[in-house]
Amino acid sequence: MIRVHKIHPAGSGPDDPPADRITLDREDRHRRRAVMTGENGLSFLLDEADAVFLHHGDRLELEDGRIVEVLAEPEDLVEIAADNAAHLVRIAWHLGNRHLPTQLMGETVRIRRDHVIEGMVARLGGRLTPVTAPFDPEGGAYGHGRTQGHSHDHGPGHSHGHTHSGAHHHHDTGHD
């Protein structure tokens, strides 16, 4: 099976048009080893020494020189704005204190939809706008968009389930 030879960060690397594209959600973009199949049927192996986080727009160069473009699957998010930078920093502190993956957007931040957290942000005076967009949270101290590894119980009946949509296939051979 053809392997990924090099990962080029978004905006860098060969300008060749991609031979294929692969659309992955945030969890699927954090991998060490996986067989992946692009939208046009090109199968390849990502096999890195350590887990990597693939960002929207990254380009995977295969051993034969072909390029596969990584696209982040749009997810249900909420964009948070505040009155000023100090107010946004206060809200961001509360999100970080809860170990929530957060994408910094300049004058706004994005998080995954969660009615409990959205209620907290509203009580803090944040302005919330639901969006469906790619999610590329900050790396932070624990890795690219990953949290510390513990959960917060929001009570009975509250779940954070998600579904995968779009035309992508991968065979997970293990997260590291």
Side-chain angles (χ1 to χ4, degrees):
M1 172 162 284
I2 193 159
R3 293 172 177 260
V4 173
H5 169 69
K6 186 170 185 179
I7 300 171
H8 299 279
S12 69
D15 289 332
D16 302 339
D20 211 338
R21 290 179 173 82
I22 189 156
T23 303
L24 305 167
D25 71 11
R26 184 178 66 95
E27 279 81 16
D28 287 341
R29 286 182 285 131
H30 186 253
R31 292 276 179 243
R32 185 191 76 77
R33 181 177 167 85
V35 173
M36 299 181 171
T37 302
E39 295 168 0
N40 296 328
L42 177 59
S43 291
F44 57 93
L45 175 64
L46 176 73
D47 188 14
E48 298 294 309
D50 296 308
V52 295
F53 190 85
L54 302 172
H55 294 275
H56 182 77
D58 284 354
R59 296 167 68 83
L60 309 177
E61 184 177 341
L62 304 181
E63 293 169 317
D64 64 3
R66 288 183 290 176
I67 300 295
V68 176
E69 184 177 24
V70 176
L71 302 175
E73 183 175 308
E75 300 184 48
D76 291 330
L77 309 172
V78 64
E79 192 162 284
I80 302 167
D83 295 334
N84 54 48
H87 187 203
L88 188 60
V89 166
R90 181 172 179 252
I91 291 169
W93 182 89
H94 282 277
L95 298 173
N97 190 46
R98 286 156 182 81
H99 308 286
L100 293 174
T102 303
Q103 183 175 358
L104 306 179
M105 305 287 298
E107 295 184 13
T108 61
V109 298
R110 286 182 180 168
I111 60 171
R112 280 194 165 144
R113 297 293 314 262
D114 180 315
H115 73 278
V116 173
I117 299 301
E118 290 174 43
M120 175 199 74
V121 170
R123 286 188 300 280
L124 291 169
R127 293 185 306 277
L128 304 155
T129 304
V131 298
T132 300
F135 188 42
D136 267 332
E138 284 297 302
Y142 301 106
H144 297 284
R146 310 294 287 184
T147 60
Q148 196 170 359
H150 67 272
S151 62
H152 295 271
D153 186 4
H154 297 294
H158 182 82
S159 70
H160 290 282
H162 67 280
T163 61
H164 295 277
S165 62
H168 77 272
H169 306 283
H170 65 274
H171 307 284
D172 190 6
T173 56
H175 286 281
D176 279 3

